[in-house]
């Protein structure tokens, strides 16, 4: 079916109704990418979810299916924080210790959790260099913004659509597998040179 983009003029745009409970069940994906394929395969892919998103039964069900690089962090909130950011830096440092000839440089925007004194100190202690992209310039200077987010979102939408059952529902396990495939197939299945 082909319709005019303005066919809903004066009315509500077409869309799927999403309950408040579902809207509050979001996760944060800490996306990491590098041009080095050998390093990319080892980088952690961290999904931060609250207790509603990552239930104990879901975590238990997915335990055997999680690759070593994919981590589901069940926390009170699905949002990143300065404390979690320090844990993320430790995860990155742990991986990078296997590549002693490389100097990790993390390119990040100026969101508050990235630039707290505690995060900056932790990065320094771990010998991780931080390259902070100035506000309002990420569209031009941040590699994730310029080259990864658009195809990532398209991949995630397609994978989510493909995971629907006959009734059009996505089970929590199918949803978790979609997240895993976003990390393993999309992020590790491409070269980011």
């Amino acid at each position: 079916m082909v319709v005019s983009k303005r066919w809903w003029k004066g009315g509500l745009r077409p869309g799927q109704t999403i309950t408040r409970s579902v809207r509050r069940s979001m996760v944060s994906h800490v996306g990491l990418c590098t041009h080095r394929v050998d390093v990319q395969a080892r980088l952690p892919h961290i999904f931060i979810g609250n207790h509603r998103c990552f239930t104990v039964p879901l975590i238990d069900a997915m335990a055997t299916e999680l690759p070593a690089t994919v981590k589901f962090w069940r926390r009170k909130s699905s949002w990143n924080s300065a404390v979690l950011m320090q844990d993320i830096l430790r995860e990155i440092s742990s991986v990078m210790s296997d590549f002693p000839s490389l100097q990790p440089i993390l390119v990040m925007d100026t969101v508050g959790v990235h630039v707290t004194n505690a995060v900056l100190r932790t990065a320094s202690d771990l010998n991780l260099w931080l390259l902070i992209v100035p506000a309002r310039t990420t569209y031009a200077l941040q590699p994730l913004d310029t080259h990864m987010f658009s195809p990532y979102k398209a991949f995630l939408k397609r994978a989510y659509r493909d995971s629907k059952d006959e009734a059009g529902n996505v089970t929590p396990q199918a949803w978790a597998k979609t997240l895993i495939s976003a990390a393993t197939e999309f992020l590790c299945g491409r070269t980011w040179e």
Side-chain angles (χ1 to χ4, degrees), residues 1-191:
M1 179 171 99
V2 178
V3 296
S4 163
K5 289 184 178 180
R6 298 178 187 264
W7 72 276
W8 58 80
K9 193 172 183 175
L12 293 175
R13 289 181 174 224
Q16 183 176 0
T17 303
I18 301 173
T19 65
R20 178 182 284 181
S21 172
V22 170
R23 285 194 312 263
R24 290 183 175 166
S25 298
M26 304 296 177
V27 300
S28 292
H29 181 187
V30 178
L32 301 167
C33 69
T34 180
H35 67 289
R36 294 279 307 248
V37 176
D38 54 339
V39 176
Q40 182 67 44
R42 300 274 316 281
L43 286 174
H45 302 285
I46 301 166
F47 293 93
I48 304 167
N50 63 28
H51 296 105
R52 295 177 76 148
C53 300
F54 292 158
T55 62
V56 172
L58 176 63
I59 297 296
D60 290 345
M62 297 310 298
T64 59
E65 300 194 37
L66 279 178
T69 57
V70 178
K71 304 181 184 305
F72 285 2
W73 287 0
R74 185 173 187 260
R75 301 294 189 265
K76 185 176 181 180
S77 169
S78 295
W79 297 103
N80 198 357
S81 68
V83 172
L84 286 178
M85 193 64 210
Q86 292 173 77
D87 291 340
I88 292 163
L89 293 176
R90 288 183 195 97
E91 291 273 345
I92 294 168
S93 178
S94 175
V95 168
M96 293 311 297
S97 68
D98 292 338
F99 301 93
S101 64
L102 301 177
Q103 174 58 59
I105 303 171
L106 302 177
V107 181
M108 303 187 303
D109 58 21
T110 58
V111 70
V113 299
H114 291 166
V115 293
T116 65
N117 288 335
V119 169
L120 297 175
R121 234 182 344 268
T122 300
S124 177
D125 292 345
L126 296 170
N127 196 30
L128 298 173
W129 294 1
L130 301 183
L131 176 60
I132 306 299
V133 176
R136 297 189 186 100
T137 62
T138 55
Y139 73 94
L141 301 175
Q142 171 59 283
L144 291 177
D145 280 0
T146 61
H147 292 84
M148 200 266 289
F149 285 143
S150 181
Y152 172 83
K153 289 176 183 177
F155 178 92
L156 203 54
K157 285 179 185 177
R158 190 171 41 258
Y160 185 82
R161 241 187 341 260
D162 293 346
S163 68
K164 289 183 177 182
D165 61 19
E166 291 153 9
N169 299 315
V170 178
T171 66
Q173 288 81 4
W175 171 70
K177 288 178 184 177
T178 298
L179 297 179
I180 293 168
S181 69
T184 57
E185 292 174 36
F186 180 78
L187 285 173
C188 292
R190 292 176 172 230
T191 56

